[in-house]
Amino acid sequence: MLRIAIVGATGAVGRECLALLDGGIVPVERVVPVGSARSVGRDLGAEQALSLPLAPLVTVEELDPRDLDVAVFCAGADVSSREAERLADAGVLIVDNSSAFRMRPDVPLVVPQVNPGALAVRPASNLVANPNCSTIQMVRALQPLHELATLDSVVVATYQAASGGGVRGLEELAEGSRRILDDPGAQGEAGGRFGQPLPFSLVPEIGLQDDQGLTHEERKLVREPRKILGLPGLRVSATAVRVPVFHCHSEAVHVRLREPVTTAAVEKALAATEGLRVYTRSDSPSYPMPRSVFARPEDRALVHVGRIRVEPEDPRAVAVWVVADNLWVGAALNALQIVELSVKNGWLG
Ligand code: 2RA
């Protein structure tokens, strides 16, 4: 039975972590919700109708490592950078959802369905990094393609939901959409959670652009798959776009393989992969959509792959459409599956 802290418990990902723990993903003795000073005193158990053994909400500075086996951080890179290593150095396993430690060589970057071997032994750093949400769903679709015919290069365009911007992102999309429906002339101001007005528009910039014109989100989509898949030379070209959708990230993934394949072989390889739901042309519709994926918990836990096709002029070029719940597959569920795998491997709990 684990003593687990959820740092950022009142945020969009933290709330999903509590809900998943309530559903029994791992056996818990005690759950410590951690939030800002202004959240102290909130009863998250009542707010979310949880039946967990919840401790009173505390601030991250108040966490005592002697009372913890594991802490899941979902409060952003600043909090992780400032507080995670204090707990890790005191023996607490840290599963971090932020970008703070992902590229450190002594920190495994883990998608349990893709590179479980990265957790065969406890990392000496006591740090495990959860990849970026848009990376997770992409590598879960890429892995079977790599095993089938060896990846050569990837081009991806993402269509990322407002929930990637947390509670504030969801609220801004809802409020801004209402304003425009009430007054079609309302333009909305630049700034805000997404840098530009999102309702009824698209924002092709997630995170700051670097001096080569790639945004932070696109850099993650280039670097993280190389580490997770163990393919340091993998070429990835990414365009990350924020779209006026509340939940679930979608991705148009174009892959170049080393060997020729058929659509039937690709569908078979994807369908044989744990945690993927495949849509073929005999399905109606033959593709997943954000609202259909978010509608049921059993679908929120899967990566959905459709529009599977081999380019007519090039049998080594494959295109797929990938949709997943960025709060579950892309964050809370992947993080808790890391905890679950660590327990299964016998070195946690
Ligand atoms: C986003 N991947 O979608 C980033 C962080 N969750 O905004």
Side-chain angles (χ1 to χ4, degrees):
M1 301 277 274
L2 291 174
R3 300 165 303 161
I4 183 169
I6 304 297
V7 181
T10 61
V13 175
R15 290 192 305 202
E16 297 297 341
C17 285
L18 293 178
L20 288 164
L21 288 171
D22 203 42
I25 186 169
V26 290
V28 291
E29 174 189 317
R30 187 166 180 265
V31 179
V32 183
V34 183
S36 63
R38 67 177 178 277
S39 297
V40 171
R42 282 177 63 174
D43 180 353
L44 300 187
E47 288 180 30
Q48 288 185 239
L50 303 171
S51 55
L52 286 169
L54 272 180
L57 189 146
V58 296
T59 64
V60 65
E61 295 79 8
E62 291 169 325
L63 276 181
D64 184 340
R66 293 168 299 182
D67 301 334
L68 289 175
D69 300 304
V70 53
V72 176
F73 273 68
C74 22
D78 290 348
V79 173
S80 296
S81 301
R82 197 176 63 242
E83 294 295 338
E85 290 187 279
R86 168 179 70 88
L87 298 169
D89 293 346
V92 179
L93 178 75
I94 303 298
V95 180
D96 182 36
N97 266 286
S98 83
S99 57
F101 309 113
R102 286 178 186 153
M103 302 319 290
R104 265 181 45 175
D106 64 330
V107 177
L109 182 63
V110 182
V111 179
Q113 296 84 356
V114 175
N115 62 333
L119 289 178
V121 296
R122 185 174 185 132
S125 62
N126 273 333
L127 296 168
V128 180
N130 204 68
N132 186 44
C133 45
S134 48
T135 299
I136 293 173
Q137 66 187 74
M138 185 173 77
V139 295
R140 286 183 58 176
L142 288 178
Q143 170 82 346
L145 302 182
H146 180 59
E147 288 177 349
L148 177 67
T150 310
L151 289 178
D152 180 69
S153 59
V154 180
V155 176
V156 57
T158 72
Y159 307 83
Q160 299 184 216
S163 57
V167 172
R168 183 180 159 209
L170 290 165
E171 290 171 349
E172 279 192 15
L173 177 58
E175 290 157 17
S177 301
R178 280 189 210 99
R179 265 201 305 275
I180 290 177
L181 287 172
D182 292 343
D183 171 11
Q187 283 306 308
E189 311 78 44
R193 185 66 184 84
F194 303 115
Q196 300 293 345
L198 180 60
F200 306 99
S201 184
L202 301 175
V203 182
E205 184 178 40
I206 300 178
L208 298 175
Q209 291 185 47
D210 62 21
D211 55 6
Q212 293 174 297
L214 272 74
T215 63
H216 284 173
E217 193 76 3
E218 288 154 359
R219 281 287 177 204
K220 295 170 188 176
L221 283 159
V222 172
R223 290 175 176 154
E224 293 177 14
R226 292 173 175 166
K227 182 170 179 181
I228 297 162
L229 295 168
L231 299 173
L234 179 66
R235 286 180 294 122
V236 181
S237 173
T239 301
V241 183
R242 186 74 65 193
V243 296
V245 164
F246 286 103
H247 294 283
C248 297
H249 287 353
S250 303
E251 298 177 347
V253 184
H254 291 256
V255 173
R256 189 160 177 72
L257 300 165
R258 296 276 171 85
E259 291 88 38
V261 292
T262 64
T263 299
V266 170
E267 289 173 348
K268 184 178 175 192
L270 292 166
T273 304
E274 175 205 357
L276 296 191
R277 185 183 161 199
V278 171
Y279 303 63
T280 68
R281 287 176 59 190
S282 59
D283 292 310
S284 177
S286 62
Y287 44 82
M289 294 170 280
R291 286 184 64 84
S292 59
V293 167
F294 194 72
R296 301 185 308 163
E298 53 271 37
D299 286 324
R300 293 182 66 188
L302 299 174
V303 174
H304 298 250
V305 187
R307 294 295 323 280
I308 301 161
R309 57 207 191 277
V310 175
E311 303 296 343
E313 294 78 30
D314 181 355
R316 291 182 301 169
V318 175
V320 293
W321 174 252
V322 184
V323 179
D325 178 5
N326 51 296
L327 293 182
W328 276 27
V329 163
L333 182 59
N334 193 79
L336 290 173
Q337 286 171 335
I338 286 171
V339 174
E340 182 186 31
L341 182 55
S342 304
V343 171
K344 205 176 287 181
N345 286 348
W347 53 260
L348 180 67

